[in-house]
Every structure is written in structure tokens, then in C-alpha cells.
mmCIF file of all heavy atoms in Angstrom:
data_model
loop_
_atom_site.group_PDB
_atom_site.id
_atom_site.type_symbol
_atom_site.label_atom_id
_atom_site.label_comp_id
_atom_site.label_asym_id
_atom_site.label_seq_id
_atom_site.Cartn_x
_atom_site.Cartn_y
_atom_site.Cartn_z
ATOM 1 N N TYR A 1 100.519 88.366 86.064
ATOM 2 C CA TYR A 1 99.223 88.973 86.270
ATOM 3 C C TYR A 1 99.291 90.254 87.090
ATOM 4 O O TYR A 1 100.219 90.426 87.902
ATOM 5 C CB TYR A 1 98.284 88.002 86.968
ATOM 6 C CG TYR A 1 97.827 86.873 86.108
ATOM 7 C CD1 TYR A 1 98.634 85.771 85.896
ATOM 8 C CD2 TYR A 1 96.600 86.923 85.450
ATOM 9 C CE1 TYR A 1 98.220 84.722 85.076
ATOM 10 C CE2 TYR A 1 96.171 85.888 84.648
ATOM 11 C CZ TYR A 1 97.000 84.793 84.453
ATOM 12 O OH TYR A 1 96.568 83.778 83.650
ATOM 13 N N THR A 2 98.323 91.100 86.883
ATOM 14 C CA THR A 2 98.026 92.184 87.774
ATOM 15 C C THR A 2 96.876 91.697 88.663
ATOM 16 O O THR A 2 95.867 91.201 88.148
ATOM 17 C CB THR A 2 97.610 93.456 87.032
ATOM 18 O OG1 THR A 2 98.731 93.942 86.261
ATOM 19 C CG2 THR A 2 97.168 94.528 87.996
ATOM 20 N N ILE A 3 97.059 91.838 89.973
ATOM 21 C CA ILE A 3 96.038 91.372 90.907
ATOM 22 C C ILE A 3 95.468 92.580 91.625
ATOM 23 O O ILE A 3 96.200 93.497 92.030
ATOM 24 C CB ILE A 3 96.659 90.405 91.948
ATOM 25 C CG1 ILE A 3 97.219 89.175 91.242
ATOM 26 C CG2 ILE A 3 95.581 89.973 92.949
ATOM 27 C CD1 ILE A 3 98.565 89.269 90.700
ATOM 28 N N GLY A 4 94.172 92.553 91.740
ATOM 29 C CA GLY A 4 93.508 93.691 92.363
ATOM 30 C C GLY A 4 92.511 93.297 93.433
ATOM 31 O O GLY A 4 91.932 92.199 93.376
ATOM 32 N N TRP A 5 92.355 94.168 94.380
ATOM 33 C CA TRP A 5 91.271 94.059 95.349
ATOM 34 C C TRP A 5 90.212 95.081 94.975
ATOM 35 O O TRP A 5 90.503 96.273 94.818
ATOM 36 C CB TRP A 5 91.766 94.336 96.761
ATOM 37 C CG TRP A 5 92.579 93.222 97.327
ATOM 38 C CD1 TRP A 5 93.940 93.103 97.381
ATOM 39 C CD2 TRP A 5 92.077 92.020 97.927
ATOM 40 N NE1 TRP A 5 94.305 91.926 97.960
ATOM 41 C CE2 TRP A 5 93.177 91.245 98.326
ATOM 42 C CE3 TRP A 5 90.801 91.519 98.199
ATOM 43 C CZ2 TRP A 5 93.065 90.000 98.953
ATOM 44 C CZ3 TRP A 5 90.654 90.306 98.821
ATOM 45 C CH2 TRP A 5 91.776 89.558 99.198
ATOM 46 N N PHE A 6 89.016 94.603 94.797
ATOM 47 C CA PHE A 6 87.867 95.433 94.475
ATOM 48 C C PHE A 6 86.835 95.242 95.573
ATOM 49 O O PHE A 6 86.844 94.214 96.284
ATOM 50 C CB PHE A 6 87.259 95.014 93.129
ATOM 51 C CG PHE A 6 88.178 95.290 91.963
ATOM 52 C CD1 PHE A 6 89.319 94.519 91.761
ATOM 53 C CD2 PHE A 6 87.907 96.305 91.060
ATOM 54 C CE1 PHE A 6 90.174 94.741 90.685
ATOM 55 C CE2 PHE A 6 88.732 96.540 90.000
ATOM 56 C CZ PHE A 6 89.869 95.766 89.797
ATOM 57 N N ARG A 7 85.957 96.186 95.742
ATOM 58 C CA ARG A 7 84.939 96.069 96.773
ATOM 59 C C ARG A 7 83.586 96.559 96.250
ATOM 60 O O ARG A 7 83.554 97.400 95.343
ATOM 61 C CB ARG A 7 85.310 96.804 98.069
ATOM 62 C CG ARG A 7 85.359 98.312 97.908
ATOM 63 C CD ARG A 7 85.878 98.949 99.206
ATOM 64 N NE ARG A 7 85.932 100.411 99.127
ATOM 65 C CZ ARG A 7 86.445 101.192 100.068
ATOM 66 N NH1 ARG A 7 86.989 100.622 101.178
ATOM 67 N NH2 ARG A 7 86.461 102.500 99.926
ATOM 68 N N GLN A 8 82.554 96.004 96.827
ATOM 69 C CA GLN A 8 81.202 96.439 96.488
ATOM 70 C C GLN A 8 80.368 96.510 97.753
ATOM 71 O O GLN A 8 80.179 95.516 98.461
ATOM 72 C CB GLN A 8 80.555 95.472 95.478
ATOM 73 C CG GLN A 8 79.244 96.016 94.947
ATOM 74 C CD GLN A 8 78.802 95.299 93.691
ATOM 75 O OE1 GLN A 8 79.218 94.179 93.387
ATOM 76 N NE2 GLN A 8 77.954 95.970 92.908
ATOM 77 N N ALA A 9 79.905 97.714 98.031
ATOM 78 C CA ALA A 9 79.015 97.942 99.162
ATOM 79 C C ALA A 9 77.567 97.875 98.664
ATOM 80 O O ALA A 9 77.300 98.099 97.486
ATOM 81 C CB ALA A 9 79.307 99.308 99.794
ATOM 82 N N PRO A 10 76.654 97.590 99.591
ATOM 83 C CA PRO A 10 75.233 97.507 99.203
ATOM 84 C C PRO A 10 74.775 98.785 98.487
ATOM 85 O O PRO A 10 75.000 99.896 98.993
ATOM 86 C CB PRO A 10 74.520 97.311 100.537
ATOM 87 C CG PRO A 10 75.526 96.676 101.416
ATOM 88 C CD PRO A 10 76.834 97.295 101.025
ATOM 89 N N GLY A 11 74.168 98.626 97.339
ATOM 90 C CA GLY A 11 73.640 99.762 96.601
ATOM 91 C C GLY A 11 74.674 100.591 95.868
ATOM 92 O O GLY A 11 74.319 101.641 95.311
ATOM 93 N N LYS A 12 75.924 100.147 95.880
ATOM 94 C CA LYS A 12 76.985 100.916 95.226
ATOM 95 C C LYS A 12 77.641 100.064 94.133
ATOM 96 O O LYS A 12 77.553 98.846 94.152
ATOM 97 C CB LYS A 12 78.034 101.386 96.247
ATOM 98 C CG LYS A 12 77.504 102.370 97.246
ATOM 99 C CD LYS A 12 78.627 102.937 98.096
ATOM 100 C CE LYS A 12 78.133 103.997 99.053
ATOM 101 N NZ LYS A 12 79.239 104.579 99.884
ATOM 102 N N GLU A 13 78.317 100.755 93.240
ATOM 103 C CA GLU A 13 79.034 100.063 92.181
ATOM 104 C C GLU A 13 80.340 99.463 92.742
ATOM 105 O O GLU A 13 80.890 99.953 93.733
ATOM 106 C CB GLU A 13 79.352 101.034 91.050
ATOM 107 C CG GLU A 13 78.138 101.480 90.255
ATOM 108 C CD GLU A 13 78.515 102.270 89.035
ATOM 109 O OE1 GLU A 13 79.704 102.494 88.788
ATOM 110 O OE2 GLU A 13 77.594 102.695 88.321
ATOM 111 N N ARG A 14 80.823 98.441 92.060
ATOM 112 C CA ARG A 14 82.083 97.847 92.458
ATOM 113 C C ARG A 14 83.208 98.834 92.139
ATOM 114 O O ARG A 14 83.229 99.457 91.081
ATOM 115 C CB ARG A 14 82.313 96.531 91.702
ATOM 116 C CG ARG A 14 83.420 95.691 92.246
ATOM 117 C CD ARG A 14 83.351 94.307 91.660
ATOM 118 N NE ARG A 14 82.160 93.599 92.082
ATOM 119 C CZ ARG A 14 81.857 92.353 91.725
ATOM 120 N NH1 ARG A 14 82.666 91.687 90.932
ATOM 121 N NH2 ARG A 14 80.765 91.774 92.166
ATOM 122 N N GLU A 15 84.139 98.996 93.079
ATOM 123 C CA GLU A 15 85.229 99.937 92.870
ATOM 124 C C GLU A 15 86.568 99.235 93.073
ATOM 125 O O GLU A 15 86.718 98.338 93.906
ATOM 126 C CB GLU A 15 85.119 101.159 93.808
ATOM 127 C CG GLU A 15 85.449 100.900 95.236
ATOM 128 C CD GLU A 15 85.644 102.160 96.074
ATOM 129 O OE1 GLU A 15 86.290 103.125 95.618
ATOM 130 O OE2 GLU A 15 85.137 102.158 97.205
ATOM 131 N N GLY A 16 87.547 99.664 92.314
ATOM 132 C CA GLY A 16 88.918 99.178 92.472
ATOM 133 C C GLY A 16 89.535 99.819 93.675
ATOM 134 O O GLY A 16 89.584 101.048 93.763
ATOM 135 N N VAL A 17 90.028 99.036 94.599
ATOM 136 C CA VAL A 17 90.619 99.528 95.841
ATOM 137 C C VAL A 17 92.126 99.669 95.680
ATOM 138 O O VAL A 17 92.710 100.737 95.924
ATOM 139 C CB VAL A 17 90.285 98.599 97.005
ATOM 140 C CG1 VAL A 17 91.045 99.022 98.278
ATOM 141 C CG2 VAL A 17 88.771 98.596 97.248
ATOM 142 N N SER A 18 92.765 98.567 95.296
ATOM 143 C CA SER A 18 94.206 98.574 95.191
ATOM 144 C C SER A 18 94.632 97.433 94.274
ATOM 145 O O SER A 18 94.028 96.369 94.291
ATOM 146 C CB SER A 18 94.827 98.376 96.588
ATOM 147 O OG SER A 18 96.205 98.674 96.583
ATOM 148 N N CYS A 19 95.666 97.678 93.480
ATOM 149 C CA CYS A 19 96.162 96.678 92.544
ATOM 150 C C CYS A 19 97.681 96.612 92.584
ATOM 151 O O CYS A 19 98.346 97.612 92.909
ATOM 152 C CB CYS A 19 95.700 96.994 91.120
ATOM 153 S SG CYS A 19 93.927 96.776 90.867
ATOM 154 N N ILE A 20 98.210 95.429 92.192
ATOM 155 C CA ILE A 20 99.645 95.254 92.186
ATOM 156 C C ILE A 20 100.024 94.416 90.943
ATOM 157 O O ILE A 20 99.339 93.441 90.618
ATOM 158 C CB ILE A 20 100.130 94.555 93.496
ATOM 159 C CG1 ILE A 20 101.670 94.454 93.525
ATOM 160 C CG2 ILE A 20 99.470 93.175 93.651
ATOM 161 C CD1 ILE A 20 102.186 94.086 94.902
ATOM 162 N N VAL A 21 101.115 94.826 90.304
ATOM 163 C CA VAL A 21 101.684 94.062 89.211
ATOM 164 C C VAL A 21 102.622 93.041 89.835
ATOM 165 O O VAL A 21 103.632 93.432 90.434
ATOM 166 C CB VAL A 21 102.420 94.945 88.201
ATOM 167 C CG1 VAL A 21 103.016 94.100 87.090
ATOM 168 C CG2 VAL A 21 101.478 95.996 87.630
ATOM 169 N N SER A 22 102.284 91.775 89.757
ATOM 170 C CA SER A 22 103.037 90.782 90.488
ATOM 171 C C SER A 22 104.499 90.698 90.093
ATOM 172 O O SER A 22 105.366 90.462 90.921
ATOM 173 C CB SER A 22 102.370 89.401 90.316
ATOM 174 O OG SER A 22 102.942 88.476 91.197
ATOM 175 N N SER A 23 104.804 90.927 88.818
ATOM 176 C CA SER A 23 106.182 90.726 88.332
ATOM 177 C C SER A 23 107.136 91.789 88.880
ATOM 178 O O SER A 23 108.293 91.505 89.177
ATOM 179 C CB SER A 23 106.199 90.747 86.825
ATOM 180 O OG SER A 23 105.658 91.958 86.317
ATOM 181 N N ASP A 24 106.671 93.041 89.034
ATOM 182 C CA ASP A 24 107.599 94.096 89.465
ATOM 183 C C ASP A 24 107.162 94.801 90.755
ATOM 184 O O ASP A 24 107.892 95.674 91.254
ATOM 185 C CB ASP A 24 107.825 95.125 88.368
ATOM 186 C CG ASP A 24 106.573 95.904 88.010
ATOM 187 O OD1 ASP A 24 105.548 95.835 88.749
ATOM 188 O OD2 ASP A 24 106.587 96.604 86.959
ATOM 189 N N GLY A 25 106.006 94.451 91.285
ATOM 190 C CA GLY A 25 105.571 95.000 92.544
ATOM 191 C C GLY A 25 105.015 96.403 92.496
ATOM 192 O O GLY A 25 104.688 96.985 93.546
ATOM 193 N N SER A 26 104.860 96.991 91.304
ATOM 194 C CA SER A 26 104.282 98.307 91.230
ATOM 195 C C SER A 26 102.811 98.239 91.671
ATOM 196 O O SER A 26 102.109 97.278 91.406
ATOM 197 C CB SER A 26 104.378 98.891 89.827
ATOM 198 O OG SER A 26 103.846 98.017 88.878
ATOM 199 N N THR A 27 102.372 99.314 92.330
ATOM 200 C CA THR A 27 101.041 99.300 92.928
ATOM 201 C C THR A 27 100.263 100.562 92.586
ATOM 202 O O THR A 27 100.821 101.603 92.203
ATOM 203 C CB THR A 27 101.123 99.188 94.457
ATOM 204 O OG1 THR A 27 101.805 100.328 94.990
ATOM 205 C CG2 THR A 27 101.848 97.911 94.870
#
């Protein structure tokens, strides 16, 4: 899997913060 951290602030759209490919560690 690729795992990501996303965030959503009040009144704002959800945004992708940071992601990592678990198999090879690319970010």
C-alpha cells in the first residue's frame, strides 16, 4: 500500500500532506 496523511481544517478542503510507498519507502 501507499499510506498517506491528509488533513482537513474547518472550512477547508481535505489536503494530502505526505505519503509513503510502504514497499520501497519513496515519499
Side-chain angles (χ1 to χ4, degrees):
Y1 288 81
T2 295
I3 297 84
W5 286 98
F6 294 72
R7 67 185 180 186
Q8 188 163 23
K12 294 188 177 180
E13 291 188 359
R14 193 166 295 181
E15 73 168 317
V17 173
S18 194
C19 291
I20 185 168
V21 179
S22 189
S23 58
D24 65 12
S26 55
T27 63

